């Protein structure tokens, strides 16, 4: 992991929203993890900025506490001391920020690259981007934008226009942490590096695909955000359709940014517009009592959707997407369900699930294949069997980077392979237009359940959801 090609050039990293929840939980622990692993630049400075009234020492302590609470390796020995020396803080005011960045660059000798990470609410994107342009801080810099990238097609286009007025597209990194997960990238490795899978990765052999991301958590303190966004915008457009692009792409010419982004863009262009009749919305009982939520809110906390791709590889194969809050389990699964072959030679075999290839997209993740095998004994009796790869037992744990760590490192290297392109995100909003304009009715569901069960079962019928795995009704 210390190979010189993996060490970025000298950098000043400007972290906007540095005292926010995402910075506390992911970004600051992630930056320290990269530093401890030897994957930060040899020389760097992190200029943290937000509206909070802090000085350098106060922010260093804030970062230390964040790493203690959320870091995977919260060492506070020499590694932390070296990291902390590179931290400084300034309130978000244009002149003060420009002066702080200039000071950090002079400390590094004046030849460092600059990376701006905008961990801020989307409503602040425009003003911050324009400030970066007017102060000269955008010149020669890269910028990382957190989701959501707009709330519909018109706002996504407007946001892209604003960003492109200051930054060229090749310097814009729209981050989706799902694409930084090891198992999401393993979809590509499994398909294209192993001759057994790519020949059957099409409509002739695959019955359907499921991308399933239930969560046991409530919306917590995000009531005001969810009232403006809802689960469809928060999860389907941003995360689950991006994963679909990886699953469904044609073989790229190389594992380079341009080739990969071109192929996912082709998938998005081939998506059929999502029809409201193919979407089930739900809201868990008790959502309206959460802080920041209207007492008569009809905002969805659950979505299940059927999506289709109109091209030669996937015509007729449904992709089922499901996500929700306050559900029975927290899981992140991608399931490839293969078509059943004729089994007449084995007699009548009822009740078996289809052969499946299951990617666990959680951390550390893994891959499981399910199939039918003969039960030992004097008769030809079939039973389910499984093969597994668990990332934490199959590969060295020290090589593992969490999604945000991987994507921050890629941005420092200037590698856009796992980021989202402007035309891709605009297309995803375009295919979602009908659902946003004619929202389906919202069904209530009990916390701890699998959502509004009848409507969700009807959506996938005659198939079944991979979760729950114990065969209980989903």
């Amino acid at each position: 992991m210390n190979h010189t090609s993996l060490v970025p050039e000298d950098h000043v990293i400007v972290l906007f929203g540095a005292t926010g929840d995402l910075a506390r939980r992911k970004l600051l622990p992630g930056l320290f993890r990269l530093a401890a692993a030897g994957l930060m630049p040899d020389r760097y400075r992190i200029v943290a900025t937000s509206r909070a009234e802090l000085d350098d020492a106060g922010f260093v302590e804030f970062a230390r506490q964040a790493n203690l609470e959320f870091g995977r390796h919260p060492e506070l020995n020499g590694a932390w001391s070296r990291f902390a020396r590179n931290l400084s803080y300034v309130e978000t005011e244009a002149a003060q920020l420009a002066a702080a960045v200039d000071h950090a660059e002079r400390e590094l000798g004046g030849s460092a690259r600059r990376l701006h990470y905008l961990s801020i609410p989307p409503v602040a994107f425009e003003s911050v981007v324009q400030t970066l342009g007017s102060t000269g801080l955008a010149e020669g810099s890269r910028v990382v934008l957190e989701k959501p990238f707009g709330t519909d097609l018109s706002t996504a286009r407007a946001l892209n226009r604003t960003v492109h007025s200051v930054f060229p597209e090749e310097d814009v990194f729209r981050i989706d942490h799902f694409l930084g997960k090891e198992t999401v990238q393993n979809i590509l490795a499994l398909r294209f590096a192993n001759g057994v899978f790519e020949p059957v990765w099409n409509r002739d052999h695959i019955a359907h695909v499921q991308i399933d991301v239930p969560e046991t958590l409530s919306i917590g303190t995000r009531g005001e955000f969810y009232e403006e966004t809802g689960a469809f915008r928060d999860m389907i457009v941003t995360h689950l359709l991006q994963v679909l692009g990886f699953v469904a792409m044609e073989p790229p010419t190389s594992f380079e940014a341009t080739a990969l982004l071109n192929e996912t863009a082709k998938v998005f262009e081939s998506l059929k517009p999502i029809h409201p009749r193919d979407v089930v919305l739900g809201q868990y009982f008790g959502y309206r009592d959460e802080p920041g939520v209207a007492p008569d809110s009809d905002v969805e906390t659950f979505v299940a959707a059927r999506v289709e791709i109109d091209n030669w590889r996937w015509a007729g194969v449904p992709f089922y997407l499901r996500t929700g809050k306050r559900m029975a389990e927290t899981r992140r699964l991608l399931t490839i369900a293969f078509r059943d072959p004729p089994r007449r030679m084995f007699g009548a075999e009822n009740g078996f699930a289809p052969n499946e290839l299951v990617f666990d997209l959680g951390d550390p993740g893994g891959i499981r294949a399910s199939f039918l095998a003969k039960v030992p004994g004097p008769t030809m009796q079939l039973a389910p069997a499984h093969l597994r790869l668990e990332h934490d037992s199959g590969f060295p744990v020290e090589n593992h980077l969490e999604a945000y760590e991987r994507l921050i490192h890629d941005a420092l290297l200037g590698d856009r392979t796992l980021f989202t392109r402007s035309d891709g995100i605009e297309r995803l909003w375009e295919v979602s237009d009908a659902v946003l304009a004619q929202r389906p009715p919202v069904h209530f569901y009990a916390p701890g359940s699998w959502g509004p069960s009848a409507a969700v079962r009807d959506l996938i019928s005659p198939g079944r959801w991979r979760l729950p795995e114990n065969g209980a009704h989903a």
Side-chain angles (χ1 to χ4, degrees):
M1 294 182 68
N2 289 304
H3 192 278
T4 55
S5 65
L6 298 179
V7 177
E9 57 192 310
D10 294 348
H11 259 80
V12 172
I13 302 166
V14 185
L15 179 57
F16 290 83
T19 58
D21 193 58
L22 178 63
R24 187 169 66 95
R25 290 175 176 271
K26 293 293 184 181
L27 304 183
L28 292 169
L31 285 163
F32 173 65
R33 161 69 173 150
L34 291 174
L39 294 174
M40 286 288 278
D42 291 332
R43 299 189 307 157
Y44 66 92
R45 296 290 186 272
I46 299 172
V47 178
T49 182
S50 76
R51 299 292 183 187
E53 295 182 1
L54 287 173
D55 57 14
D56 289 352
F59 181 75
V60 168
E61 178 59 20
F62 174 88
R64 188 181 78 90
Q65 292 298 329
N67 190 57
L68 278 173
E69 186 174 358
F70 298 107
R72 291 186 296 141
H73 305 284
E75 305 104 348
L76 294 179
N77 51 22
W80 173 260
S81 299
R82 289 191 297 273
F83 177 74
R85 287 197 295 268
N86 295 292
L87 299 177
S88 62
Y89 182 83
V90 62
E91 290 185 43
T92 306
E93 191 279 322
Q96 293 180 22
L97 179 61
V101 173
D102 179 68
H103 177 72
E105 289 178 340
R106 282 189 281 106
E107 285 186 323
L108 297 180
S111 59
R113 286 212 62 122
R114 199 181 301 137
L115 177 71
H116 302 288
Y117 196 119
L118 274 56
S119 178
I120 55 177
V123 294
F125 279 169
E126 183 173 357
S127 62
V128 170
V129 168
Q130 290 174 342
T131 296
L132 292 175
S134 63
T135 56
L137 291 176
E139 186 176 351
S141 300
R142 301 181 181 120
V143 63
V144 179
L145 301 178
E146 272 292 340
K147 74 173 185 75
F149 317 111
T151 57
D152 54 23
L153 180 58
S154 62
T155 55
R157 284 174 171 167
L159 177 57
N160 279 328
R161 283 195 298 270
T162 297
V163 172
H164 289 156
S165 70
V166 177
F167 294 94
E169 175 64 18
E170 60 267 23
D171 289 333
V172 180
F173 294 73
R174 297 171 191 81
I175 195 167
D176 180 348
H177 73 273
F178 267 55
L179 299 187
K181 292 178 175 292
E182 287 286 351
T183 314
V184 173
Q185 298 163 57
N186 237 331
I187 298 167
L188 303 182
L190 191 87
R191 276 188 67 184
F192 302 131
N194 298 282
V196 67
F197 293 108
E198 179 58 21
V200 297
W201 209 265
N202 56 58
R203 59 189 171 92
D204 294 331
H205 300 279
I206 293 176
H208 68 263
V209 177
Q210 296 178 32
I211 305 173
D212 208 354
V213 186
E215 294 181 283
T216 58
L217 295 174
S218 70
I219 60 159
T221 59
R222 303 174 74 210
E224 292 183 6
F225 169 80
Y226 241 73
E227 284 291 277
E228 294 292 329
T229 307
F232 187 88
R233 289 182 170 95
D234 185 42
M235 291 294 295
I236 298 294
V237 179
T238 300
H239 292 318
L240 274 61
L241 288 177
Q242 294 288 348
V243 175
L244 180 150
F246 267 48
V247 176
M249 71 167 66
E250 293 298 312
T253 56
S254 67
F255 195 67
E256 299 292 334
T258 300
L260 228 67
L261 290 169
N262 284 343
E263 295 305 331
T264 54
K266 291 176 186 177
V267 174
F268 299 153
E269 283 299 320
S270 298
L271 283 173
K272 290 184 177 181
I274 304 172
H275 197 284
R277 67 170 174 266
D278 292 327
V279 175
V280 175
L281 303 182
Q283 183 187 103
Y284 65 80
F285 286 110
Y287 169 76
R288 294 176 178 180
D289 299 325
E290 302 281 11
V293 173
D296 59 348
S297 174
D298 68 346
V299 169
E300 76 281 359
T301 60
F302 170 96
V303 183
R306 174 190 172 111
V307 178
E308 294 189 30
I309 301 172
D310 189 14
N311 64 19
W312 73 270
R313 184 182 290 268
W314 297 110
V317 177
F319 285 70
Y320 295 105
L321 316 179
R322 182 174 64 168
T323 185
K325 301 289 188 182
R326 293 298 308 272
M327 295 183 69
E329 295 182 41
T330 294
R331 298 291 296 277
R332 289 166 171 79
L333 292 189
L334 161 67
T335 302
I336 311 295
F338 291 93
R339 297 190 183 278
D340 283 332
R343 295 200 188 113
R344 185 173 180 179
M345 64 181 290
F346 295 104
E349 301 289 351
N350 297 317
F352 288 135
N355 299 152
E356 294 173 334
L357 191 61
V358 181
F359 295 80
D360 184 342
L361 307 181
D363 290 318
I367 305 171
R368 181 171 67 176
S370 65
F371 54 94
L372 294 177
K374 180 186 178 297
V375 177
T379 61
M380 181 56 76
Q381 181 182 352
L382 300 180
H386 306 280
L387 292 174
R388 293 175 180 268
L389 165 67
E390 303 293 345
H391 280 182
D392 57 350
S393 59
F395 298 103
V397 176
E398 62 270 18
N399 288 345
H400 177 72
L401 293 180
E402 286 191 343
Y404 271 105
E405 295 165 0
R406 167 66 192 269
L407 294 172
I408 292 170
H409 183 247
D410 282 356
L412 290 169
L413 292 173
D415 184 350
R416 300 178 69 232
T417 302
L418 301 177
F419 293 84
T420 306
R421 208 164 64 186
S422 59
D423 57 341
I425 192 62
E426 289 182 14
R427 174 59 181 168
L428 294 182
W429 283 119
E430 185 178 13
V431 301
S432 303
D433 258 357
V435 176
L436 299 176
Q438 306 171 42
R439 292 179 73 243
V442 176
H443 305 264
F444 292 100
Y445 63 96
S449 71
W450 288 98
S453 57
V456 175
R457 284 199 302 270
D458 289 345
L459 181 71
I460 201 171
S461 180
R464 70 172 187 87
W465 291 97
R466 182 69 178 76
L467 292 172
E469 294 171 309
N470 61 10
H473 290 300

